[in-house]
Amino acid sequence: MKRTLLALAVLIFVSSCAHTPEWRLSWEENFDSPQIDTSVWSTISRGTAAWRDTQSSDARCYDWRDGKLVLRGIVNDDRTVDTAAYLTGGLWTKGKKAFHRGRIEIRARLQAARGAWPALWLMPYEEERYHWPEGGEIDIMERLNFDSVVYQTVHSHYTYTLGIQDPVSSSTAPIRPDDFNVYGVDMWPDSIVFHVNGVRNYAYPRIETDKPGQFPFDIPQYLIVDMQLRGPWVGPVDPEDLPVEMEIDWIRYYEWK
């Protein structure tokens, strides 16, 4: 009898652990048309933040090749129009499309260069309500220079302002440096789970704490896809390495039933 009950308990445990959510494809962007879908995307305007101080709508920073979006970082050869030494292309869904409680996967290839800083990331859709870092930031992928790894990170008041790293807020994952890789994140009410090429990298959980702002991520987010150059983290640019490209094959957003 005890063996029967034990076997039944093991069966129930295995069955529950084997359960996986049923993902349903909700939206995808394949970049098949050689133009930006302006109902979803806008080019990113230049700003003062380190990640944004070379963003430009210059047509040379955007291209389509073999059904893929190409975002470039280039030397600015006409500083009478824009005083930035370098120009980069980037798109975001800010004010147009939000993502919440689902899985995002992006297939991309990243060229390497000194000072290259391509990124795929999420920010709060209602930015007027959630100022950085109180509303959080989810970095699906950042690559620096010639690295053979990418960084996957969350930022918040808890991790950035208070500087608390329990739980740890960032991890690296290996990539195929010269090939396409699939970068992904799952947004759950109780955790943010990162993966690369279908392999889980790490998870950032919601925890019980008396410190404020530990898990602000369970809110609608907008997506940012951008080529970046230079900055305090990535370092200076070598203009001899430019132009440098990030190719985006497709983006898919899944929701669970």
Side-chain angles (χ1 to χ4, degrees):
M1 182 65 174
K2 288 182 178 179
R3 289 184 179 179
T4 302
L5 292 175
L6 179 59
L8 180 59
V10 170
L11 178 61
I12 293 172
F13 176 78
V14 171
S15 297
S16 63
C17 289
H19 175 73
T20 57
E22 296 182 20
W23 296 107
R24 175 179 60 85
L25 182 62
S26 176
W27 173 82
E28 63 182 322
E29 173 65 85
N30 293 305
F31 298 109
D32 290 331
S33 174
Q35 58 185 358
I36 296 169
D37 180 357
T38 56
S39 69
V40 175
W41 301 101
S42 302
T43 57
I44 301 173
S45 58
R46 187 174 171 194
T48 57
W51 72 269
R52 197 173 164 185
D53 64 1
T54 60
Q55 291 294 300
S56 173
S57 59
D58 190 301
R60 294 172 296 173
C61 297
Y62 303 85
D63 202 354
W64 283 260
R65 185 170 60 232
D66 302 325
K68 301 173 183 64
L69 171 70
V70 179
L71 300 176
R72 290 195 183 96
I74 64 173
V75 174
N76 183 8
D77 59 4
D78 184 2
R79 299 178 71 173
T80 62
V81 177
D82 190 323
T83 58
Y86 307 102
L87 303 176
T88 53
L91 302 178
W92 57 15
T93 69
K94 183 177 181 179
K96 295 183 176 181
K97 184 168 183 60
F99 305 88
H100 186 214
R101 292 191 176 182
R103 167 177 289 181
I104 294 177
E105 290 186 325
I106 303 173
R107 185 172 188 263
R109 178 161 57 188
L110 316 171
Q111 277 190 351
R114 186 181 179 195
W117 180 18
L120 311 168
W121 48 303
L122 296 158
M123 289 283 284
Y125 190 75
E126 298 181 84
E127 280 191 314
E128 67 280 1
R129 291 182 56 193
Y130 303 103
H131 299 291
W132 197 92
E134 282 77 11
E137 173 184 327
I138 302 172
D139 296 327
I140 306 170
M141 180 283 297
E142 294 176 279
R143 186 199 188 189
L144 306 179
N145 301 300
F146 294 86
D147 283 357
S148 58
V149 299
V150 292
Y151 294 83
Q152 297 185 301
T153 309
V154 295
H155 296 288
S156 66
H157 174 75
Y158 182 85
T159 68
Y160 184 81
T161 311
L162 302 181
I164 301 174
Q165 290 297 308
D166 182 17
V168 174
S169 65
S170 184
S171 182
T172 60
I175 61 170
R176 300 184 294 270
D178 301 318
D179 201 354
F180 281 92
N181 295 269
V182 177
Y183 305 100
V185 66
D186 300 344
M187 297 172 285
W188 300 92
D190 62 354
S191 62
I192 302 297
V193 181
F194 295 93
H195 38 92
V196 175
N197 294 322
V199 177
R200 174 176 163 140
N201 180 24
Y202 93 109
Y204 184 82
R206 181 194 294 268
I207 64 170
E208 292 294 330
T209 176
D210 60 356
K211 303 296 184 181
Q214 187 269 326
F215 196 90
F217 309 109
D218 189 24
I219 55 175
Q221 311 276 340
Y222 69 86
L223 178 63
I224 306 170
V225 178
D226 62 339
M227 187 68 235
Q228 305 173 21
L229 288 173
R230 75 183 184 186
W233 187 29
V234 66
V237 175
D238 183 349
E240 295 299 318
D241 287 346
L242 303 184
V244 62
E245 298 180 347
M246 173 167 62
E247 294 177 81
I248 308 294
D249 188 6
W250 47 255
I251 301 172
R252 295 171 183 166
Y253 172 53
Y254 302 86
E255 296 176 288
W256 56 83
K257 298 180 182 179

